[in-house]
Amino acid sequence: MAMKMKAAIFVEKGRIVLDDKPIPEIGPMDALMRVTTTTICGTDVHILKGEYPVARGLTIGHEPVGVIEKLGSSVQGFREGQRVIAGAITPSGWSNACLCGCGSQDGAGTKHGWQAIGGWKFGNTIDGCQAEYVRVPDAMANLAPIDDGVSDEQVLMCPDIMSTGFAGAETGGIAIGDTVAVFAQGPIGLCATAGAKLLGATRIIVVDTVPARLEMARRMGADEVVDFRHENPVEAIMRLTDGRGVDVAIEALGTQATFEAALRVLRPGGVLSSLGVYSGDLTIPLDAFAAGLGNKSIRSTLCPGGKERMRRMLAVISSGRVDLGGLVTHRYHLEQIEQAYDLFANQRDGVLKVAIKVS
Amino acid sequence: MAMKMKAAIFVEKGRIVLDDKPIPEIGPMDALMRVTTTTICGTDVHILKGEYPVARGLTIGHEPVGVIEKLGSSVQGFREGQRVIAGAITPSGWSNACLCGCGSQDGAGTKHGWQAIGGWKFGNTIDGCQAEYVRVPDAMANLAPIDDGVSDEQVLMCPDIMSTGFAGAETGGIAIGDTVAVFAQGPIGLCATAGAKLLGATRIIVVDTVPARLEMARRMGADEVVDFRHENPVEAIMRLTDGRGVDVAIEALGTQATFEAALRVLRPGGVLSSLGVYSGDLTIPLDAFAAGLGNKSIRSTLCPGGKERMRRMLAVISSGRVDLGGLVTHRYHLEQIEQAYDLFANQRDGVLKVAIKVS
Amino acid sequence: MAMKMKAAIFVEKGRIVLDDKPIPEIGPMDALMRVTTTTICGTDVHILKGEYPVARGLTIGHEPVGVIEKLGSSVQGFREGQRVIAGAITPSGWSNACLCGCGSQDGAGTKHGWQAIGGWKFGNTIDGCQAEYVRVPDAMANLAPIDDGVSDEQVLMCPDIMSTGFAGAETGGIAIGDTVAVFAQGPIGLCATAGAKLLGATRIIVVDTVPARLEMARRMGADEVVDFRHENPVEAIMRLTDGRGVDVAIEALGTQATFEAALRVLRPGGVLSSLGVYSGDLTIPLDAFAAGLGNKSIRSTLCPGGKERMRRMLAVISSGRVDLGGLVTHRYHLEQIEQAYDLFANQRDGVLKVAIKVS
Amino acid sequence: MAMKMKAAIFVEKGRIVLDDKPIPEIGPMDALMRVTTTTICGTDVHILKGEYPVARGLTIGHEPVGVIEKLGSSVQGFREGQRVIAGAITPSGWSNACLCGCGSQDGAGTKHGWQAIGGWKFGNTIDGCQAEYVRVPDAMANLAPIDDGVSDEQVLMCPDIMSTGFAGAETGGIAIGDTVAVFAQGPIGLCATAGAKLLGATRIIVVDTVPARLEMARRMGADEVVDFRHENPVEAIMRLTDGRGVDVAIEALGTQATFEAALRVLRPGGVLSSLGVYSGDLTIPLDAFAAGLGNKSIRSTLCPGGKERMRRMLAVISSGRVDLGGLVTHRYHLEQIEQAYDLFANQRDGVLKVAIKVS
């Protein structure tokens, strides 16, 4: 008889509830993680609102911090009781996509080894981590130990927000001395700002309107902030750059307005690094694209995962190079997760990220 | 009193005429080239039709093969009488764009050193080469000697069509063993096909409908041809790739239909390499872009120029690696250029490219 | 009671013998391959001569072509009876090295996930494939199906020689129009030549002295051949390039003489791509390295493996882009493998590669 | 009759003297810079000691900060009186090397357009900037304006030390989360440390022995310092990395000992980024190179120059991302330059860099 645990479960559009569920069983390549802390992501809100479809009864959540409870029979290199995280994206390591270095599009088990968004499993195609326990697939490719002396909350952004935001800067190909614009300063945009600074950008211009976010942006490395309610961000950025435009523009919201503005402020030859999750078709204006002759690129990136990626994110935290602690604005226990969803989904009380304490 | 020469001049929408013009004067960094052979480009037809604006009285043409008639006082490393080509794009070498390796967006003389499409000067912002003589700016960065024993017609594609088509393959990041789709097999698409083969693609699927183009495509390296009048190209390519899609899709026409199809046939993580000159806004369908989560890239490329690029294109021809001779389907003398425009603009008689013999 | 099979076993320096051995047992992630064809590599000769240490009793061989006999309990995506190859290098997919895209240095099971040469397992750290059966570890990351209609012998070079030689060209960063020198035209050097051509090099100069190899080199894409017994290869290459030197030099032998010559013929900023297995310290002459100021690079590469790499190698063969059939000069049955070693180790009778027919 | 100026002139081995010289004349592409501040480089000491040969009578120095005195007749985009720097390396922009993005090996005026170390002209092949005036060749490619409010001393490292040190980090391909070792913490090594931090390295281990340098290293971003007089640096670094080794090792001295140690501490697949100027042949130990099978790379880099590079270096300073002010430990007037050479060449009084005030 399987043991029971608490888990946040998608029931139907508008309803994610905390309920009892059996503790997951694990296969030879898996690990069972006892979750100690997790969080809620903007994507979870899309699920809640029925905008991103998942199966009824699925446990939600893809940002686990915890302790190894049990290891599959074939898993080596880890020990039970070890504090670890796993990424939001859990590549198998052995699909063709993974072997091409693109684990986010992992097609493990598909005919050709590529699957759009296939690397995102937790809380999407398998049970997630807003629960007391979570099964981590392909554990040897995905578990990353946490350094002693580093708290759960310090590393809570590593699995998704930080890896995604930094990837926006990396995919943009930022070089020393670049000028970078980041559109939207929610948690991912703030991490993109921190990532741009970490890669040597010397001028970072961010766009948002919430004062607390703009203030946090400055702490993350923004040199200039543009409040889009006070001025047109394209005009503001072109003015700030004296008509030159930026080398790299990072889209971190997922709307036509920000996508288009990002393309418009790019200098010829620049890169639009797209992180947003869009909800409709996008338009590339002819002039902003120089009719196809401006050597502009548009690159989309899904959060990179896997234990080596997580190791690097953890190293950034442990080294003190970037401090993302300030992103957690609210704290709840798993028992209160419905309340946490309510706050987060409605973006009340200046919430940036919530920490969900599990055990 | 300046000497006179014949030149094809843009008069107004619908009228490019052959007329007398003074032989260009040159500055210290320039060269005067006596043109021996040139050609007409699809872009010239856009100019003719008034779809791409240039100044009245401008000499058209950007694909010069010729002989150095005279060198500016500061030019070293070349000699008068030498057979040379210059690229369609003539980077200065010293602008910020050039120093970033992006000479196509050369902003020589602008405040920040970047100018959209700024590297394209001949027949766009300065007099072009459908004339007996042409002034080559920044000659030391732009003149490339032709090997003995290689004919004008053999190298006539180097300045633009070949450099552009190959760049489509290069920008796509084609790797050994890739599957590549090329949309449209006009002269640039055919060169993209040749370029994809030259870079190690092992399966090249091309889309067009003109039988002669599809046949030429096979000679350039196409493994499969799709006639879009007989079947939906997206369905055909997905069927041919057994549902996987392609690693790189090259758009070589400049329409929403081909752009969108190129995006749809990409596997996750794939690259859409865009060469077309678009005439309207583009739409990125949400599903084809995996809502921004599919790690897809869209990269636009303008023809690379400069003498090193031309040297490499000439080396491809001299080595026999690629034979583009078959692309010239019709031959005219400069005196007949209006007739050549009429044929080429109306795509009559199966024309691919025309050679214009000048002297 | 385990079933018996025949296997070529390292006994001691100078002795590799065919003997009985139990058919390997497999774990949940493994596959058992019935070997149909294999070959002998130069590295195997190093083992035979005691120059590269392996355990007594180890089955030698790392180039397997065969049929899946049995799949481990956790393996999905393959079926018994399927014709497959595995690479000489069999990355786990889940080590840190693999997740960094460097499976050749796979450190699966080590503390940090990196192990020098760790991806090479067959006939090195685990039993190899000069046997009737071989256990393939991490089968889902390593098995690559062979297309119908393609013979064992056609794909026999894929696991090692071809993947290595091509990697020499890839690591060199060869670009369209490059001039490339390849030092030594043994099987790997010949594949490097083929790879250089496949990537767009327009002038390939090869160095060897055996007439049959130089002739084969021309078939693989060499434009010029230098016989080092007749002339100093550095002088010859500098003469052939008119004093310029080459963009990329590939070392495919593993001696100080070829390493040094490769460095000397490089133009400033060029890349020495090193494939050889060296047996002593190397010297970088001060002048050839421009005292460290010449922007020269030296990059060493171990054969890439994994199923995606193998899929690409197989695609090159199936597409007919490169025909390596001619490299097999001698054929033996497994029963005669000691004789095959004798011929190959002594490089008699113009041998390039031998095919060992197993079943 | 030419006007006279003061200049530091190489007379013979052991003698660089301040003497009168005519103010340089300039050609159409040149600029005349009135030098306001300059410095002495380790390379200048090599010249002084006769270890690096230059012509008798040559003005030494390649790190100019100053004001445009006069512009050549063809120079546009600058104005007389403007505060500017030029790089130690002054690429022409139009040679084949420059058009390949490798201006440090500029072969302007040579047959093939490549010349080893050819981009280094000031104080090497043309008169340098330890003088009241210096002629800047190819001015449009090389002059970079200084922001108002930034002092000469703040930007004095940009032309050489900073561009070189940062390039060591860039060429190493440092990624977020990398562990990096830097061998020697002279001015270039210190800038390499700062560059490694700027690119996202999360653990930087530096090796030197001078306490003031190790202390400065910590200010530049070093996380650990190893004093090679107290412990073997290879052992120390392997201990600090728990046996893993580093992702990137930067050699910033130019000796066999540091080169070899850098190779030894590299993990498999790592990059040795070499900045040092060597004075003898180098040895690559067989084991440190894994016999050529460890996927290790050795990449040498000469200081990048040109106005776009300088613009980026200046942006790093103006943005406050890195503060190199502390590197200037001593200050002299041009009149005292012989005294400055004496101090600097003998590394007395804890000197890191000297500022030479000119006007």
Side-chain angles (χ1 to χ4, degrees):
Chain A
M1 199 192 73
M3 301 283 288
K4 288 281 160 66
M5 67 170 188
K6 293 282 179 199
I9 292 165
F10 175 75
V11 178
E12 61 187 4
K13 182 173 163 176
R15 288 190 61 210
I16 289 176
V17 302
L18 193 71
D19 206 347
D20 280 349
K21 237 185 150 161
I23 292 177
E25 301 198 353
I26 62 170
M29 306 300 295
D30 300 334
L32 183 68
M33 188 198 292
R34 177 167 59 79
V35 180
T36 52
T37 306
T38 188
T39 180
I40 300 175
C41 181
T43 318
D44 299 333
V45 175
H46 284 296
I47 292 172
L48 174 67
K49 295 185 176 169
E51 296 162 359
Y52 186 96
V54 301
R56 269 172 182 265
L58 190 82
T59 303
I60 303 305
H62 51 262
E63 294 158 283
V65 182
V67 173
I68 297 175
E69 180 77 15
K70 197 175 163 190
L71 292 168
S73 56
S74 297
V75 178
Q76 49 177 300
F78 297 91
R79 58 178 175 73
E80 290 169 13
Q82 207 171 5
R83 284 183 70 217
V84 292
I85 62 168
I89 302 307
T90 47
S92 64
W94 50 263
S95 69
N96 296 76
C98 291
L99 293 165
C100 284
C102 192
S104 303
Q105 310 297 325
D106 188 8
T110 66
K111 196 178 345 178
H112 300 290
W114 290 91
Q115 173 76 40
I117 324 180
W120 177 29
K121 298 166 192 175
F122 283 145
N124 180 25
T125 56
I126 65 174
D127 277 331
C129 63
Q130 290 169 7
E132 290 177 284
Y133 295 92
V134 64
R135 179 181 71 87
V136 180
D138 300 296
M140 289 190 292
N142 286 297
L143 295 176
I146 303 170
D147 283 350
D148 292 341
V150 176
S151 71
D152 277 19
E153 211 170 290
Q154 279 179 287
V155 304
L156 183 57
M157 302 300 116
C158 296
D160 185 349
I161 295 306
M162 181 184 178
S163 181
T164 300
F166 281 21
E170 294 165 308
T171 302
I174 291 175
I176 291 177
D178 268 358
T179 296
V180 175
V182 187
F183 287 82
Q185 291 293 287
I188 285 180
L190 286 165
C191 288
T193 299
K197 183 177 178 193
L198 198 58
L199 288 172
T202 47
R203 193 169 194 203
I204 304 173
I205 307 168
V206 304
V207 179
D208 207 297
T209 191
V210 181
R213 295 185 173 209
L214 292 174
E215 184 191 324
M216 179 67 75
R218 288 198 182 274
R219 284 172 49 193
M220 293 293 120
D223 299 282
E224 320 266 358
V225 303
V226 173
D227 182 338
F228 66 80
R229 300 226 185 148
H230 294 158
E231 50 184 340
N232 176 302
V234 173
E235 285 170 16
I237 293 170
M238 294 313 284
R239 179 178 46 75
L240 286 167
T241 61
D242 195 22
R244 176 185 182 270
V246 303
D247 299 285
V248 177
I250 303 177
E251 201 288 342
L253 185 60
T255 67
Q256 172 64 27
T258 45
F259 175 83
E260 181 172 333
L263 198 60
R264 287 192 184 285
V265 300
L266 276 187
R267 65 151 169 79
V271 178
L272 190 174
S273 179
S274 168
L275 295 175
V277 184
Y278 301 95
S279 52
D281 295 351
L282 290 168
T283 298
I284 300 176
L286 183 68
D287 61 332
F289 202 46
L293 301 175
N295 283 54
K296 291 189 176 181
S297 292
I298 299 164
R299 304 181 190 162
S300 66
T301 307
L302 174 61
C303 179
K307 76 177 172 189
E308 171 68 10
R309 177 68 176 179
M310 289 304 107
R311 186 189 70 77
R312 289 174 177 270
M313 295 301 106
L314 291 166
V316 172
I317 298 299
S318 291
S319 69
R321 289 290 197 271
V322 174
D323 175 7
L324 297 175
L327 293 191
V328 175
T329 51
H330 294 73
R331 289 162 189 82
Y332 292 88
H333 192 274
L334 179 62
E335 297 292 338
Q336 308 160 297
I337 195 165
E338 296 174 26
Q339 194 178 330
Y341 263 101
D342 185 54
L343 172 100
F344 189 70
N346 294 293
Q347 289 289 303
R348 278 204 301 269
D349 194 25
V351 63
L352 276 169
K353 288 287 280 184
V354 301
I356 308 290
K357 188 77 190 157
V358 181
S359 68
Chain B
M1 197 193 72
M3 300 283 289
K4 287 282 159 64
M5 66 170 188
K6 293 283 179 198
I9 293 165
F10 175 76
V11 179
E12 63 188 1
K13 182 175 166 176
R15 286 189 65 209
I16 289 177
V17 302
L18 191 71
D19 205 348
D20 281 349
K21 237 182 149 164
I23 292 176
E25 300 197 354
I26 62 171
M29 306 300 295
D30 301 333
L32 183 69
M33 187 198 292
R34 178 167 58 80
V35 180
T36 54
T37 306
T38 188
T39 180
I40 300 174
C41 181
T43 318
D44 299 333
V45 174
H46 285 296
I47 292 172
L48 174 67
K49 294 186 177 168
E51 295 162 359
Y52 186 96
V54 300
R56 271 171 183 264
L58 190 81
T59 303
I60 303 306
H62 51 262
E63 295 158 282
V65 182
V67 173
I68 297 175
E69 180 77 14
K70 198 176 163 190
L71 293 168
S73 55
S74 297
V75 178
Q76 49 176 299
F78 296 92
R79 59 179 173 70
E80 289 169 14
Q82 209 171 2
R83 284 182 70 215
V84 292
I85 62 169
I89 302 308
T90 48
S92 64
W94 51 263
S95 68
N96 296 76
C98 291
L99 293 165
C100 284
C102 193
S104 302
Q105 309 297 326
D106 186 9
T110 66
K111 198 182 337 181
H112 300 290
W114 290 91
Q115 171 77 39
I117 325 180
W120 176 29
K121 298 165 192 175
F122 283 144
N124 180 25
T125 56
I126 65 174
D127 277 329
C129 64
Q130 291 169 4
E132 290 177 282
Y133 296 91
V134 63
R135 179 180 71 87
V136 180
D138 299 297
M140 289 190 293
N142 286 296
L143 294 176
I146 304 169
D147 284 349
D148 291 342
V150 176
S151 72
D152 277 20
E153 213 171 286
Q154 281 180 285
V155 304
L156 183 57
M157 301 301 114
C158 296
D160 184 349
I161 296 305
M162 181 183 177
S163 182
T164 301
F166 282 22
E170 294 165 308
T171 301
I174 290 176
I176 290 177
D178 269 359
T179 296
V180 176
V182 187
F183 287 82
Q185 292 290 287
I188 285 179
L190 287 165
C191 289
T193 298
K197 184 178 178 193
L198 198 60
L199 288 172
T202 48
R203 194 169 193 202
I204 304 172
I205 306 169
V206 303
V207 180
D208 206 297
T209 192
V210 181
R213 293 184 176 210
L214 292 175
E215 185 192 322
M216 179 66 77
R218 289 200 182 273
R219 286 172 51 192
M220 292 295 118
D223 298 282
E224 321 264 0
V225 303
V226 173
D227 182 339
F228 66 79
R229 299 226 184 147
H230 293 159
E231 50 184 342
N232 176 303
V234 173
E235 287 169 15
I237 292 170
M238 293 315 282
R239 179 177 47 74
L240 286 167
T241 61
D242 195 22
R244 175 185 184 272
V246 304
D247 300 285
V248 178
I250 304 177
E251 202 287 340
L253 185 60
T255 67
Q256 171 64 26
T258 45
F259 175 83
E260 183 172 332
L263 199 61
R264 288 193 183 283
V265 300
L266 276 186
R267 65 154 170 79
V271 178
L272 191 174
S273 178
S274 169
L275 295 175
V277 185
Y278 301 94
S279 51
D281 295 352
L282 290 168
T283 298
I284 299 177
L286 183 67
D287 61 333
F289 201 47
L293 300 175
N295 283 55
K296 291 190 177 183
S297 292
I298 298 164
R299 304 182 190 160
S300 67
T301 308
L302 175 61
C303 179
K307 74 177 172 189
E308 172 68 10
R309 177 68 177 179
M310 290 302 108
R311 187 189 69 77
R312 289 173 177 270
M313 296 300 107
L314 291 166
V316 171
I317 298 299
S318 291
S319 69
R321 288 291 197 269
V322 174
D323 175 6
L324 297 175
L327 293 190
V328 174
T329 51
H330 294 74
R331 289 161 189 84
Y332 293 87
H333 192 273
L334 179 61
E335 297 291 337
Q336 307 159 296
I337 195 164
E338 296 175 25
Q339 195 178 328
Y341 263 102
D342 185 54
L343 174 100
F344 189 71
N346 294 293
Q347 289 287 301
R348 278 206 300 269
D349 194 24
V351 64
L352 278 169
K353 287 287 280 188
V354 301
I356 307 291
K357 188 75 190 159
V358 181
S359 69
Chain C
M1 198 192 69
M3 299 284 288
K4 287 281 160 64
M5 68 170 187
K6 293 284 178 197
I9 293 164
F10 176 75
V11 179
E12 63 187 2
K13 180 176 166 175
R15 287 190 62 208
I16 289 177
V17 302
L18 191 72
D19 206 348
D20 280 351
K21 238 184 148 163
I23 291 177
E25 300 196 355
I26 61 169
M29 305 301 294
D30 301 333
L32 183 69
M33 189 198 293
R34 176 167 60 78
V35 180
T36 52
T37 305
T38 187
T39 180
I40 301 175
C41 179
T43 318
D44 299 332
V45 175
H46 285 297
I47 292 172
L48 174 68
K49 294 185 177 170
E51 295 162 1
Y52 186 97
V54 301
R56 271 171 182 264
L58 189 81
T59 302
I60 304 306
H62 50 264
E63 295 157 282
V65 182
V67 172
I68 297 175
E69 181 76 17
K70 199 176 163 188
L71 292 169
S73 56
S74 297
V75 177
Q76 50 177 298
F78 297 92
R79 59 178 173 74
E80 290 169 13
Q82 207 170 6
R83 286 182 69 216
V84 292
I85 62 169
I89 302 310
T90 47
S92 64
W94 49 263
S95 69
N96 297 77
C98 290
L99 292 166
C100 284
C102 192
S104 302
Q105 310 297 325
D106 186 8
T110 66
K111 195 178 344 179
H112 300 291
W114 289 90
Q115 173 76 40
I117 325 183
W120 176 29
K121 298 165 192 175
F122 284 144
N124 180 26
T125 56
I126 65 173
D127 277 329
C129 63
Q130 291 169 6
E132 290 176 283
Y133 295 91
V134 64
R135 179 180 71 87
V136 180
D138 299 298
M140 288 189 294
N142 286 296
L143 295 176
I146 304 169
D147 283 350
D148 291 342
V150 176
S151 72
D152 276 21
E153 213 170 288
Q154 280 180 285
V155 304
L156 184 56
M157 301 301 115
C158 296
D160 185 349
I161 295 305
M162 182 183 175
S163 181
T164 301
F166 281 21
E170 293 164 310
T171 301
I174 291 175
I176 290 177
D178 269 0
T179 296
V180 176
V182 187
F183 287 83
Q185 290 293 285
I188 286 179
L190 287 165
C191 288
T193 299
K197 185 179 177 193
L198 198 58
L199 288 172
T202 46
R203 195 170 192 202
I204 304 173
I205 306 169
V206 303
V207 180
D208 206 299
T209 190
V210 181
R213 295 184 174 211
L214 292 175
E215 187 191 322
M216 180 66 77
R218 288 198 182 274
R219 284 172 49 192
M220 292 294 117
D223 299 282
E224 320 264 358
V225 303
V226 173
D227 182 338
F228 65 79
R229 298 225 184 148
H230 293 159
E231 52 183 340
N232 176 303
V234 173
E235 287 170 14
I237 291 168
M238 294 313 284
R239 179 177 47 74
L240 286 166
T241 61
D242 195 23
R244 176 185 183 273
V246 304
D247 299 284
V248 177
I250 303 177
E251 202 286 342
L253 185 61
T255 67
Q256 172 64 27
T258 44
F259 175 83
E260 182 172 333
L263 199 60
R264 287 193 184 285
V265 300
L266 276 186
R267 64 155 170 78
V271 178
L272 191 173
S273 178
S274 170
L275 295 175
V277 185
Y278 301 95
S279 52
D281 294 352
L282 289 168
T283 298
I284 299 176
L286 183 66
D287 60 332
F289 201 47
L293 301 175
N295 283 54
K296 291 190 177 182
S297 293
I298 298 165
R299 304 181 190 162
S300 66
T301 309
L302 175 59
C303 180
K307 74 177 173 190
E308 170 68 9
R309 178 68 175 178
M310 289 304 107
R311 186 188 69 77
R312 290 173 176 271
M313 295 300 107
L314 291 166
V316 172
I317 298 300
S318 292
S319 70
R321 288 289 197 272
V322 174
D323 174 7
L324 297 175
L327 293 190
V328 175
T329 52
H330 295 72
R331 289 162 188 84
Y332 293 88
H333 191 273
L334 179 61
E335 296 292 336
Q336 307 160 298
I337 194 165
E338 296 175 27
Q339 196 178 326
Y341 263 101
D342 186 54
L343 173 102
F344 189 71
N346 294 292
Q347 288 287 301
R348 278 206 301 269
D349 195 25
V351 64
L352 277 169
K353 288 288 279 185
V354 301
I356 307 290
K357 187 77 191 160
V358 181
S359 66
Chain D
M1 199 192 70
M3 300 285 289
K4 285 286 162 58
M5 68 171 187
K6 292 285 180 195
I9 293 165
F10 175 74
V11 179
E12 63 188 2
K13 181 176 165 173
R15 288 190 62 210
I16 289 176
V17 303
L18 192 71
D19 205 348
D20 281 351
K21 240 185 146 162
I23 292 176
E25 300 197 353
I26 60 170
M29 305 300 294
D30 301 332
L32 183 69
M33 188 197 293
R34 177 168 59 80
V35 181
T36 54
T37 306
T38 186
T39 179
I40 300 175
C41 179
T43 317
D44 298 333
V45 175
H46 285 296
I47 291 172
L48 174 67
K49 294 184 177 171
E51 294 161 1
Y52 186 96
V54 300
R56 271 173 181 262
L58 189 81
T59 303
I60 304 305
H62 50 261
E63 295 157 282
V65 182
V67 173
I68 296 174
E69 180 77 15
K70 197 178 163 188
L71 292 168
S73 55
S74 298
V75 178
Q76 49 176 300
F78 297 91
R79 58 180 173 71
E80 291 170 12
Q82 208 171 3
R83 283 182 71 215
V84 290
I85 62 168
I89 303 307
T90 47
S92 64
W94 50 263
S95 69
N96 297 77
C98 291
L99 292 166
C100 285
C102 193
S104 302
Q105 310 296 326
D106 187 9
T110 67
K111 198 181 339 179
H112 300 290
W114 290 90
Q115 172 77 40
I117 325 180
W120 177 28
K121 299 165 190 175
F122 283 144
N124 181 24
T125 56
I126 65 173
D127 277 329
C129 64
Q130 291 170 4
E132 291 177 284
Y133 295 91
V134 62
R135 178 181 71 88
V136 180
D138 299 297
M140 287 189 294
N142 286 295
L143 294 176
I146 304 169
D147 283 351
D148 291 343
V150 177
S151 73
D152 276 19
E153 214 170 286
Q154 281 179 283
V155 304
L156 183 56
M157 302 299 117
C158 296
D160 185 349
I161 295 307
M162 180 183 180
S163 182
T164 300
F166 281 21
E170 294 164 308
T171 301
I174 291 174
I176 291 177
D178 269 358
T179 297
V180 175
V182 187
F183 287 83
Q185 291 292 288
I188 285 179
L190 287 165
C191 288
T193 298
K197 183 177 179 195
L198 198 58
L199 289 172
T202 47
R203 194 168 192 204
I204 304 172
I205 307 168
V206 304
V207 180
D208 206 298
T209 191
V210 180
R213 294 183 175 211
L214 292 175
E215 185 191 322
M216 180 66 77
R218 288 198 182 274
R219 285 172 49 193
M220 292 294 120
D223 299 281
E224 320 266 358
V225 303
V226 173
D227 182 337
F228 66 80
R229 300 226 183 149
H230 293 159
E231 51 184 340
N232 176 302
V234 173
E235 287 169 14
I237 291 168
M238 293 315 283
R239 178 177 47 74
L240 286 166
T241 61
D242 194 23
R244 176 185 183 272
V246 304
D247 299 285
V248 177
I250 303 177
E251 202 286 342
L253 186 60
T255 68
Q256 172 63 28
T258 44
F259 175 83
E260 183 172 331
L263 199 60
R264 287 193 184 285
V265 300
L266 274 187
R267 65 153 169 77
V271 177
L272 191 174
S273 178
S274 169
L275 295 175
V277 185
Y278 301 95
S279 53
D281 295 351
L282 290 168
T283 297
I284 299 175
L286 183 66
D287 60 334
F289 201 47
L293 301 175
N295 284 53
K296 292 190 176 183
S297 292
I298 299 164
R299 304 181 190 162
S300 66
T301 308
L302 175 60
C303 178
K307 74 177 173 190
E308 171 67 11
R309 177 70 176 178
M310 290 304 106
R311 185 188 70 77
R312 289 173 176 270
M313 296 300 106
L314 291 166
V316 172
I317 298 300
S318 292
S319 68
R321 289 289 196 270
V322 175
D323 174 6
L324 297 175
L327 293 191
V328 175
T329 52
H330 294 74
R331 289 163 188 82
Y332 293 88
H333 192 272
L334 179 62
E335 296 291 337
Q336 308 160 297
I337 195 164
E338 296 175 25
Q339 195 178 328
Y341 263 101
D342 186 53
L343 172 103
F344 189 72
N346 295 291
Q347 288 289 304
R348 277 205 301 268
D349 195 23
V351 64
L352 276 169
K353 288 287 281 186
V354 300
I356 307 291
K357 187 76 192 159
V358 181
S359 67

